[in-house]
C-alpha cells in the first residue's frame, strides 16, 4: 500500500536540504544542497532495499529486481530546483517512484520485470544554461566537448564540477542507454500550470511535450548623450529591443500555432544610465510549441522581425542559437496503460500537453515514455509559492504504482 505518511516524511526531510527561510527551495544542480539531497536519496533507496548505481554524470538509479532479467520499467524525475523554486517540481516524481518501489518491497510483491527508480542530474537549466542534462546523457545526446563548454555564472565548467563531485565526465558514453534496454519510462510531475485545477480533476495524462527554441540576441546601437542627441539621430538599442519583445508576443500569440508560446524573460541594458541612450542590449528569446511546424514558423517570423527592426533603426542585431529541441509525442501505449490504471483506481483524468520540457521527452528516444500530471495550486511553479496538495501527491503516487505494476508484469 502506498503510504502518504512515508511520502510526507520524505518531503519534510528533503525540504530541509536547500529550503529557503521565506519558503521554497534553492537546490541548484551539483550545489552543496543538491549533493546533500543526492546523499539523502541514496540512503533512502538503500533503506528501501534498492541496489544503487550512479552513472558518469551523477544520474542515480535504485533497482528492484524482477522475476526475470527482462528490460526494466524505469520511473523518476529530478531533485534539483531553480533558484527560489518550490518543493514539488521534480521532487514529487522522485519521491513517488521511491514510494512505489518501497511499497512493493514492504508487501513482498514480485514483478516480472525489474523496477528502477531514477533521479536525473541537472534537469533545470538554471546553473549551466542547458536543461535535462542527465537524461540527455542517458540517451547519448551529450558530448564531453559540451560538458567542457557549459559554464555556470562563476565560470566553472560542468566538466570541472562533475570531476570535483567525484563523477567521471570522461566516461560520459557509459551513461547512454541503447534503445530497448529499458522497457518503459514513467514520470509523475506537477502540472506547473492551471489546467487541471481549472478542470477540477486530479490527474492529467500527458499527450505531448513542447520543446523550446532559444536565442541569445545582441542588439548594438550607439550610446550617446540623452540631452544632446536629437531623436532623429539616435541608435537606441533598447527601443529596438522593445520592438522585438512586442514582435515575439505578437508572433507567438497571433501568427504561429494554437499552442505556440513566446517569451523574452531576461534583458540587460548597457551602459544602463538614465542620461545615456542605451548602446547595447542582450536579451533571451524562448519559443515553445508541441508542434514542430508551428515552432518553425514562429522562429522564421522572429528572424524576419530582427532583420526588419535592424534595418529600420540602423542598429545591428545578432543572434546565437542556444537550443533547438524537438517536441515529443509521448507513447500511445503508455498513455493507454495510464488511462486504464486511472479507470480501475476510480480517479478522473483529462489528456493535456505539457508546455514545459521534462526528462520524459528525452527518454522517448530510447523507450516507451509516459507522463502523469497532478495539479499545481493556482498553476504556480518555479516560485517559492509553488504548492500541490498532498492528497493529489497521494493520488498521483497510487496511479504511478498501478501503471508501474501493469508495465512491470508485461
Ligand atoms: Zn521538473
Amino acid at each position: 500500500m502506498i503510504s502518504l505518511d512515508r511520502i510526507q516524511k520524505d518531503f519534510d526531510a528533503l525540504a530541509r536540504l536547500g529550503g529557503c527561510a521565506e519558503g521554497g527551495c534553492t537546490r541548484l544542480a551539483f550545489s552543496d544542497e543538491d549533493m546533500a539531497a543526492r546523499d539523502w536519496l541514496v540512503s533512502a533507496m538503500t533503506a528501501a532495499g534498492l541496489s544503487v548505481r550512479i552513472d558518469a554524470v551523477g544520474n542515480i538509479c535504485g533497482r528492484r529486481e524482477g522475476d526475470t532479467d527482462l528490460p526494466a520499467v524505469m520511473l523518476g524525475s529530478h531533485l534539483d530546483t531553480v533558484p527560489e523554486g518550490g518543493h514539488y517540481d521534480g521532487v514529487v516524481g522522485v519521491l513517488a517512484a521511491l514510494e512505489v518501489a518501497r511499497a512493493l518491497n514492504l508487501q513482498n510483491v514480485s514483478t516480472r520485470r525489474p523496477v528502477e527508480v531514477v533521479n536525473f542530474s541537472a534537469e533545470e537549466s538554471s546553473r549551466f544554461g542547458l536543461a535535462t542534462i542527465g537524461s540527455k546523457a542517458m540517451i547519448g545526446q551529450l558530448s564531453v566537448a559540451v560538458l567542457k563548454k557549459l559554464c555556470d555564472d562563476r565560470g566553472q565548467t560542468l566538466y570541472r564540477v562533475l570531476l570535483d563531485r567525484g563523477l567521471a565526465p570522461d566516461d560520459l558514453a557509459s551513461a547512454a542507454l541503447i534503445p530497448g534496454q529499458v522497457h518503459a519510462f514513467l514520470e509523475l510531475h506537477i502540472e506547473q500550470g492551471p489546467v487541471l485545477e481549472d478542470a477540477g480533476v486530479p490527474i492529467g495524462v500527458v499527450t505531448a511535450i513542447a520543446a523550446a527554441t532559444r536565442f541569445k540576441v545582441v542588439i548594438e546601437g550607439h550610446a550617446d548623450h540623452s540631452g544632446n542627441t536629437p531623436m532623429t539621430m539616435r541608435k537606441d538599442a533598447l527601443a529596438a529591443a522593445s520592438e522585438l519583445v512586442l514582435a515575439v508576443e505578437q508572433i507567438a500569440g497571433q501568427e504561429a500555432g494554437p499552442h505556440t508560446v513566446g517569451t523574452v524573460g531576461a534583458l540587460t541594458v548597457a551602459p544602463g544610465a538614465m542620461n545615456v541612450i542605451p548602446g547595447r542590449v542582450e536579451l533571451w528569446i524562448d519559443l515553445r510549441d508541441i508542434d514542430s511546424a508551428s515552432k518553425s514558423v514562429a522562429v522564421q517570423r522572429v528572424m524576419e522581425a530582427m532583420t526588419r527592426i535592424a534595418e529600420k533603426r540602423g542598429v545591428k542585431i545578432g543572434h546565437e542559437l542556444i537550443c533547438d529541441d524537438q517536441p515529443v509525442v509521448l507513447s500511445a501505449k503508455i498513455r493507454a496503460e495510464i488511462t486504464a490504471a486511472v479507470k480501475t483506481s476510480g480517479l478522473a483524468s483529462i489528456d493535456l500537453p505539457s508546455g514545459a520540457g521534462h526528462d520524459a521527452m528525452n527518454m522517448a528516444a530510447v523507450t516507451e515514455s509516459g507522463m502523469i500530471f497532478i495539479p499545481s495550486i493556482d498553476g504556480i511553479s518555479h516560485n517559492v509559492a509553488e504548492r500541490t496538495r498532498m492528497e493529489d501527491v497521494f493520488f498521483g503516487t497510487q496511479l504511478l504504482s498501478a501503471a508501474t505494476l501493469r508495465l512491470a508484469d508485461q
Side-chain angles (χ1 to χ4, degrees):
M1 292 283 283
I2 298 299
S3 159
L4 183 54
D5 255 16
R6 284 193 299 259
I7 300 173
Q8 182 70 60
K9 281 201 185 93
D10 291 346
F11 259 98
D12 294 344
L14 261 185
R16 287 191 280 271
L17 307 174
C20 310
E22 60 287 3
C25 187
T26 299
R27 199 160 50 227
L28 295 182
F30 301 112
S31 62
D32 290 347
E33 294 78 12
D34 187 36
M35 297 314 289
R38 289 159 171 278
D39 289 347
W40 176 88
L41 181 65
V42 169
S43 302
M45 282 175 164
T46 308
L50 308 180
S51 51
V52 177
R53 71 172 192 277
I54 300 176
D55 73 16
V57 294
N59 293 314
I60 301 170
C61 276
R63 181 178 168 98
R64 179 178 191 267
E65 295 300 336
D67 294 339
T68 68
D69 279 340
L70 287 168
V73 175
M74 189 182 264
L75 38 152
S77 193
H78 61 96
L79 293 180
D80 68 317
T81 75
V82 298
E84 297 180 16
H87 290 293
Y88 299 85
D89 174 2
V91 171
V92 161
V94 176
L95 295 187
L98 173 66
E99 173 62 14
V100 167
R102 183 167 50 199
L104 290 177
N105 272 349
L106 288 170
Q107 294 170 96
N108 278 317
V109 176
S110 61
T111 56
R112 187 157 177 259
R113 295 172 181 277
V115 172
E116 292 193 350
V117 177
V118 61
N119 171 48
F120 293 107
S121 294
E123 193 274 346
E124 302 289 359
S125 59
S126 312
R127 183 166 179 193
F128 295 103
L130 181 72
T132 64
I133 288 170
S135 52
K136 281 193 174 97
M138 225 183 244
I139 62 166
Q141 255 191 23
L142 268 188
S143 64
V144 176
V146 169
L147 300 182
K148 287 181 173 172
K149 195 177 145 209
L150 294 174
C151 247
D152 67 9
D153 59 11
R154 284 181 298 178
Q156 278 190 296
T157 65
L158 175 55
Y159 180 86
R160 184 74 244 168
V161 168
L162 290 170
L163 277 183
D164 289 349
R165 293 306 191 182
L167 297 163
D170 288 311
D171 296 340
L172 177 67
S174 68
L177 299 171
I178 54 166
Q181 197 175 336
V182 169
H183 177 62
F185 174 74
L186 285 173
E187 182 170 10
L188 176 72
H189 204 281
I190 58 169
E191 182 201 337
Q192 305 179 281
V195 177
L196 289 176
E197 189 176 61
D198 198 53
V201 295
I203 299 293
V205 183
V206 182
T207 53
I209 300 178
T213 298
R214 291 173 169 164
F215 299 98
K216 178 185 176 184
V217 176
V218 179
I219 304 179
E220 287 179 88
H222 207 275
D224 291 300
H225 195 289
S226 69
N228 291 330
T229 316
M231 294 308 287
T232 52
M233 297 175 70
R234 295 177 176 219
K235 290 186 174 158
D236 184 328
L238 183 57
S242 308
E243 280 200 48
L244 183 55
V245 172
L246 292 176
V248 168
E249 185 187 44
Q250 162 76 17
I251 289 163
Q254 313 287 332
E255 297 174 20
H259 294 288
T260 314
V261 289
T263 308
V264 177
L267 184 149
T268 60
V269 182
M274 195 165 62
N275 57 354
V276 183
I277 296 164
R280 180 186 166 93
V281 168
E282 293 182 357
L283 61 86
W284 286 262
I285 299 175
D286 173 300
L287 295 167
R288 300 184 195 219
D289 207 304
I290 53 168
D291 179 67
S292 291
S294 302
K295 184 152 68 81
S296 299
V297 169
V299 169
Q300 187 55 38
R301 296 275 168 92
V302 169
M303 295 295 146
E304 288 161 12
M306 288 197 280
T307 308
R308 193 174 62 239
I309 295 164
E311 274 173 15
K312 179 175 128 190
R313 292 183 166 271
V315 295
K316 260 205 264 176
I317 305 184
H319 68 272
E320 180 192 335
L321 186 66
I322 295 174
C323 74
D324 185 25
D325 294 332
Q326 289 309 303
V328 171
V329 177
L330 292 173
S331 161
K333 186 185 141 203
I334 304 283
R335 276 165 58 195
E337 293 294 346
I338 295 170
T339 304
V342 166
K343 290 212 174 91
T344 54
S345 58
L347 296 165
S349 74
I350 55 169
D351 290 356
L352 80 174
S354 171
H358 295 287
D359 294 304
M361 74 191 178
N362 292 334
M363 294 304 283
V366 292
T367 187
E368 305 277 346
S369 184
M371 261 197 114
I372 301 165
F373 274 173
I374 53 175
S376 294
I377 295 175
D378 297 329
I380 296 170
S381 183
H382 283 192
N383 185 304
V384 295
E386 176 182 284
R387 298 277 183 282
T388 288
R389 273 179 292 276
M390 285 311 285
E391 185 191 41
D392 287 332
V393 173
F394 181 59
F395 289 146
T397 310
Q398 282 186 317
L399 180 60
L400 182 70
S401 174
T404 300
L405 280 173
R406 295 179 75 93
L407 291 163
D409 280 334
Q410 285 175 346

